[in-house]
């Protein structure tokens, strides 16, 4: 698991620092973020089956 300090450093990257990365580094960074977001969404859904993350329910028909 990523350490909080490392995560903070990654999330605080400045535009000037992004411009120094080549395209493959940017793709790897983006892929890593997408992978982690999906794993976090799955964990949220696993913990809360009644309120799935990212699913909008119709207030008139909650089963829809």
């Amino acid at each position: 698991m990523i350490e909080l300090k490392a995560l903070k450093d990654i999330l605080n990257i400045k535009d000037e620092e992004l411009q120094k990365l080549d395209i493959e580094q940017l793709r790897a960074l983006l892929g890593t973020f997408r992978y982690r977001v999906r794993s976090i969404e799955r964990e949220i859904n696993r913990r809360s089956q009644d309120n799935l993350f990212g699913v909008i329910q119709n207030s008139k028909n909650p089963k829809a």
Side-chain angles (χ1 to χ4, degrees):
M1 168 131 314
I2 191 168
E3 293 183 16
L4 289 178
K5 183 182 182 312
L7 181 60
K8 181 180 176 190
D9 291 342
I10 290 170
L11 293 176
N12 284 333
I13 194 166
K14 294 178 178 54
D15 287 339
E16 299 84 27
E17 294 170 358
L18 283 176
Q19 292 174 357
K20 294 177 187 176
L21 300 176
D22 65 33
I23 192 76
E24 291 305 317
Q25 290 172 317
L26 290 171
R27 286 182 177 142
L29 188 61
L30 181 59
T32 302
F33 287 145
R34 285 181 176 159
Y35 174 81
R36 291 307 300 155
V37 165
R38 286 297 302 137
S39 65
I40 292 167
E41 287 175 344
R42 284 190 296 273
E43 181 62 20
I44 290 170
N45 289 341
R46 185 187 67 76
R47 292 184 188 189
S48 177
Q49 288 298 315
D50 295 335
N51 298 316
L52 296 179
F53 186 76
V55 175
I56 300 172
Q57 293 182 346
N58 185 343
S59 61
K60 293 180 184 177
N61 185 3
K63 300 283 183 182

